[in-house]
Amino acid sequence: MCGITGYIGDRDAYPIVINGLKRLEYRGYDSAGIMMYDGNSINLSKTKGKVSDLEVITNKEEIRKIGKIGIGHTRWATHGEPNDVNSHPHFSESGDLVIVHNGIIENYDTIKKELLSRGYKFKSDTDTEVLVNLIEEVKKTEECKLGKAVQLALTNVIGAYAIAVFDKTKPNELVIARLGSPIAIGIGKDNEEFFVASDASPFIEFTKDALYLEDGELAIIKKGRKIKVRKIDNDKPVDPDIQELKLSLDQIEKGGYDHFMLKEIYEQPKAIIDTYRGRMLPNEGIIKMAGIDDNISKFLNADRIIIIACGTSWHAGLVGEYLIEDMARIPVEVEYASEFRYRNPIITPNDVVIAISQSGETADTLAAIKLAKSKGAFVFGVCNVVGSSIARETHAGAYTHAGPEIGVASTKAFTTQITVLTLISLKLAQAKGTLSKTAVNNYLQTMQQIPTQVEQLLKIDPIVKDIAHHYMEATNCLYLGRGFNFPVALEGALKLKEISYIHAEGYPAAEMKHGPIALIDENMPVFVIATRKGHYEKVVSNIQEIKSRRGKIIAIVTEGDETVKEIADHVIEIPETEEALTPLLTTIPLQLLSYHIAVMLGKNVDQPRNLAKSVTVE
Ligand code: M6R
């Protein structure tokens, strides 16, 4: 969703702010804007479209040459359509204050009415312009400094925000605040400069010292002075917890790949190893996961496990359900976080909730966690982004260690989430004795082969690309799988939909005859996962049913399969492994296929239309 960048120091602010916006493009946005202060006046440029469109405008203007202080924004529209006027930054009525804002001010309408009655006029339809005018009004009536005005204004606000505010009358500082939307502050040597951004990627080459504001905190940054942090609700000072960033520049660059998505698909062997490294000792049959070890009785005594997540993470959760029930024999329910939080679910202190999220910032998942906690459930997080809101909000958890995922379409997040869920399932099975020692050891040893097998699969990319050529013109596609691979069918369909805009549906293979079979004709490509140990004969029958209706069959089979080869139009072979581990392999060709089709159709693979990388609004 929206992205914020900012700079205050001795360098030229323009390149830092604009390059920062480019690094945040992956979050998804529809307009961009920038504000620079030249020592006398505020220069502001904003436009609907991409950061490159903004650069075209700023190329012709003085804005790029001036200023040691600036803020920038990429906007994903919530209140008000994406257009130039609604883009950020926004001025206050007097023109003294400038704001960039991520999130939603839910009570903006009430505040707007009040401000209108006091003579304020509004140019945009945004809740953000309301907020900056509220700050201005408080500053005026309370006769206070910007920091205090922001703090007081925010106590009247309902909603979520990360904001950066600049005041022309005190042009040597920025005020930053956060509630429910992440914001990081990079701290330069001797506090001589500060960087602001929605995540640390925009300033990684300048400093490794960063402060992630906590919810309900406000910071004042001023060149040459220590950062000041205070609580928004009671104005109490907070000791800033400055962390050393582990992120490196090559992790957030394309590294020779055409797209981040492709890079991330190819990173999966390493990402899977990084995720299980130190957590399993296959020869000894040991699984070490501190978050589970320390809370093992909660899991073993749980009436059930509820998995909550959205999108791809929800698909990983479904694989988790199959794994945990199969291996550890604990009942599992998988819920969309957005439904769970509003449907008045029955949650008791005997429930264990596993919340899965790549970004750790998804608003619905976060709200569902808070609900589960309020009912006394123990909540375990599976997140990728270290220090994210969900990682902090959960009682315990396990990181996926996939490294930054920048392509909007999740790839390595999915396989590493499944890796963590597999380890959790084996750990619980071991503790409960539902799997024998030999079986656990066998799984761990087989698991160790997965990264090499993924490498092997990536080598068949040219075959997948050729298949993509055949089906790039399709308007509808069906994805079928059974058992552990039913969620992979859902995930395959989601990947195609989100980056190529081709309509696709995932189904359990046997469900086909209860409806979707009516869609099948010679124009319908059907992607079927038919692994050798996965109810194989049944799936082969489904393939026959498709064939008899002249559907096109693209089958993912275990290597050496001869039967399906006879029937299918195209076959992709995956290496042999335990059926429970096949999702880690079958998903790879489906990711590649979606990628190639989207590229062939000329779509924006890394930033598909309307989508945001982390959905921080509900
Ligand atoms: O960051 P999260 O895992 O919580 O995100 C959940 C979904 O928004 C995300 O998986 C989304 O579905 C992806 N675009 C899928 O590729």
Side-chain angles (χ1 to χ4, degrees):
M1 307 230 113
C2 309
I4 288 177
T5 54
Y7 177 77
I8 180 164
D10 286 331
R11 305 177 204 244
D12 283 339
Y14 178 84
I16 295 171
V17 174
I18 208 95
N19 289 333
L21 290 183
K22 286 183 192 162
R23 296 244 175 100
L24 296 178
E25 281 190 303
Y26 76 92
R27 298 167 69 88
Y29 71 107
D30 40 50
S31 49
I34 189 165
M35 184 270 337
M36 292 288 132
Y37 180 69
D38 66 6
N40 279 315
S41 53
I42 292 170
N43 296 266
L44 196 143
S45 277
K46 51 189 195 172
T47 183
K48 181 182 170 187
K50 294 288 173 192
V51 177
S52 53
D53 299 313
L54 179 66
E55 277 184 298
V56 171
I57 301 171
T58 55
N59 269 341
K60 296 183 212 130
E61 293 176 357
E62 283 299 292
I63 190 169
R64 58 166 45 233
K65 301 195 193 86
I66 44 173
K68 308 289 180 196
I69 178 163
I71 50 179
H73 192 258
T74 47
R75 173 174 187 253
W76 190 86
T78 56
H79 291 67
E81 63 171 279
N83 60 29
D84 296 358
V85 178
N86 287 337
S87 312
H88 300 206
H90 286 284
F91 274 117
S92 64
E93 174 92 7
S94 71
D96 285 346
L97 307 190
V98 184
I99 192 170
V100 285
H101 164 220
N102 294 353
I104 293 180
I105 306 303
E106 286 169 12
N107 58 337
Y108 84 103
D109 203 32
T110 320
I111 301 171
K112 189 172 183 174
K113 283 187 184 123
E114 176 62 27
L115 291 170
L116 282 167
S117 74
R118 295 186 191 201
Y120 282 82
K121 293 185 193 67
F122 294 87
K123 297 182 190 70
S124 75
D125 307 319
T126 64
D127 49 346
T128 305
E129 196 185 4
V130 174
L131 179 57
V132 73
N133 278 319
L134 176 65
I135 296 168
E136 176 152 296
E137 176 63 11
V138 172
K139 189 167 175 273
K140 232 187 315 177
T141 49
E142 299 291 324
E143 296 179 1
C144 58
K145 291 182 184 166
L146 180 67
K148 185 73 187 163
V150 173
Q151 184 237 326
L152 290 174
L154 291 177
T155 54
N156 289 301
V157 153
I158 301 169
Y161 51 78
I163 54 170
V165 194
F166 171 77
D167 180 358
K168 196 174 92 175
T169 65
K170 213 158 174 248
N172 50 0
E173 67 178 29
L174 288 173
V175 176
I176 320 296
R178 165 194 169 140
L179 185 72
S181 193
I183 193 136
I185 301 170
I187 300 156
K189 197 165 175 288
D190 300 328
N191 299 306
E192 281 305 316
E193 58 182 352
F194 291 94
F195 306 81
V196 181
S198 297
D199 63 46
S201 62
F203 55 77
I204 191 68
E205 65 268 52
F206 300 109
T207 179
K208 292 280 183 221
D209 293 332
L211 167 70
Y212 289 89
L213 278 194
E214 298 283 343
D215 272 348
E217 286 181 355
L218 174 149
I220 301 175
I221 51 175
K222 194 172 176 179
K223 183 180 144 8
R225 199 190 68 181
K226 268 191 172 172
I227 191 165
K228 281 189 181 162
V229 183
R230 57 170 87 146
K231 287 273 179 206
I232 294 167
D233 59 353
N234 58 18
D235 208 19
K236 280 210 179 110
V238 176
D239 261 347
D241 176 17
I242 297 164
Q243 305 176 13
E244 196 190 326
L245 294 172
K246 301 277 183 285
L247 194 68
S248 66
L249 203 54
D250 59 316
Q251 283 182 298
I252 55 163
E253 287 182 339
K254 285 191 200 143
Y257 288 89
D258 288 343
H259 298 94
F260 281 110
M261 182 182 175
L262 190 62
K263 178 184 177 224
E264 287 153 9
I265 291 173
Y266 274 81
E267 279 174 346
Q268 288 177 109
K270 179 175 181 303
I272 294 170
I273 294 174
D274 288 347
T275 299
Y276 69 53
R277 180 182 291 122
R279 286 174 168 158
M280 60 180 208
L281 299 173
N283 295 334
E284 289 82 2
I286 293 173
I287 305 158
K288 289 192 289 185
M289 296 182 89
I292 302 282
D293 291 329
D294 297 348
N295 300 287
I296 194 77
S297 62
K298 296 223 164 49
F299 283 89
L300 298 185
N301 297 325
D303 288 342
R304 59 180 177 164
I305 292 174
I306 306 169
I307 299 181
I308 49 173
C310 302
T312 289
S313 298
W314 184 78
H315 295 155
L318 283 179
V319 179
E321 175 186 25
Y322 283 55
L323 288 166
I324 297 171
E325 291 205 345
D326 182 58
M327 294 177 176
R329 312 303 297 151
I330 302 172
V332 181
E333 286 167 29
V334 187
E335 297 248 14
Y336 284 117
S338 54
E339 283 299 305
F340 181 77
R341 62 180 288 199
Y342 283 122
R343 69 169 185 81
N344 195 15
I346 298 165
I347 315 165
T348 76
N350 288 339
D351 291 325
V352 164
V353 171
I354 300 181
I356 308 174
S357 173
Q358 185 287 129
S359 62
E361 301 296 341
T362 300
D364 283 320
T365 310
L366 199 49
I369 291 168
K370 289 179 182 162
L371 174 70
K373 279 173 76 181
S374 73
K375 305 278 183 194
F378 173 76
V379 187
F380 186 90
V382 177
C383 292
N384 189 38
V385 178
V386 177
S388 56
S389 303
I390 291 176
R392 287 192 301 220
E393 191 64 44
T394 42
H395 294 114
Y399 284 116
T400 49
H401 301 307
E405 190 182 67
I406 292 173
V408 164
S410 267
T411 51
K412 61 177 180 170
F414 182 63
T415 43
T416 53
Q417 285 164 348
I418 294 175
T419 303
V420 166
L421 291 163
T422 308
L423 290 176
I424 293 175
S425 309
L426 288 169
K427 176 92 211 167
L428 297 178
Q430 200 173 45
K432 274 191 79 178
T434 46
L435 281 183
S436 69
K437 196 169 178 291
T438 320
V440 172
N441 288 11
N442 177 50
Y443 268 120
L444 294 180
Q445 272 149 14
T446 315
M447 183 88 174
Q448 232 180 355
Q449 294 161 11
I450 293 284
T452 316
Q453 293 178 323
V454 174
E455 294 270 12
Q456 202 180 316
L457 265 173
L458 291 168
K459 293 202 178 105
I460 61 155
D461 193 14
I463 299 173
V464 180
K465 194 170 176 182
D466 179 57
I467 297 174
H469 256 297
H470 283 81
Y471 299 105
M472 60 180 276
E473 316 249 281
T475 46
N476 293 290
C477 294
L478 212 52
Y479 285 71
L480 304 177
R482 282 194 88 144
F484 293 104
N485 282 296
F486 157 53
V488 177
L490 296 179
E491 175 61 8
L494 177 64
K495 287 288 87 81
L496 188 71
K497 271 186 273 209
E498 64 182 339
I499 58 169
S500 67
Y501 319 146
I502 295 173
H503 175 244
E505 292 298 333
Y507 267 94
E511 271 296 301
M512 183 182 63
K513 52 187 164 307
H514 298 285
I517 198 163
L519 295 167
I520 293 175
D521 61 16
E522 63 278 17
N523 298 317
M524 175 67 96
V526 188
F527 299 88
V528 193
I529 304 163
T531 45
R532 191 168 293 136
K533 298 173 198 158
H535 315 284
Y536 179 73
E537 287 77 19
K538 308 274 176 212
V539 180
V540 171
S541 301
N542 297 138
I543 294 175
Q544 296 283 14
E545 288 157 10
I546 302 163
K547 188 74 181 171
S548 9
R549 285 155 186 88
R550 301 197 310 278
K552 296 278 177 292
I553 299 152
I554 307 95
I556 296 175
V557 297
T558 312
E559 59 193 357
D561 185 301
E562 290 303 329
T563 315
V564 177
K565 224 179 245 173
E566 295 281 300
I567 325 168
D569 297 270
H570 301 276
V571 161
I572 298 168
E573 290 186 320
I574 63 149
E576 179 99 48
T577 188
E578 288 295 333
E579 183 58 20
L581 304 183
T582 53
L584 292 165
L585 301 180
T586 51
T587 195
I588 308 292
L590 296 180
Q591 294 170 346
L592 287 168
L593 196 102
S594 304
Y595 170 77
H596 289 304
I597 291 181
V599 171
M600 286 168 194
L601 293 175
K603 305 296 183 208
N604 188 341
V605 172
D606 284 333
Q607 294 154 36
R609 70 182 180 204
N610 305 336
L611 286 176
K613 182 65 185 164
S614 84
V615 183
T616 51
V617 294
E618 56 172 293

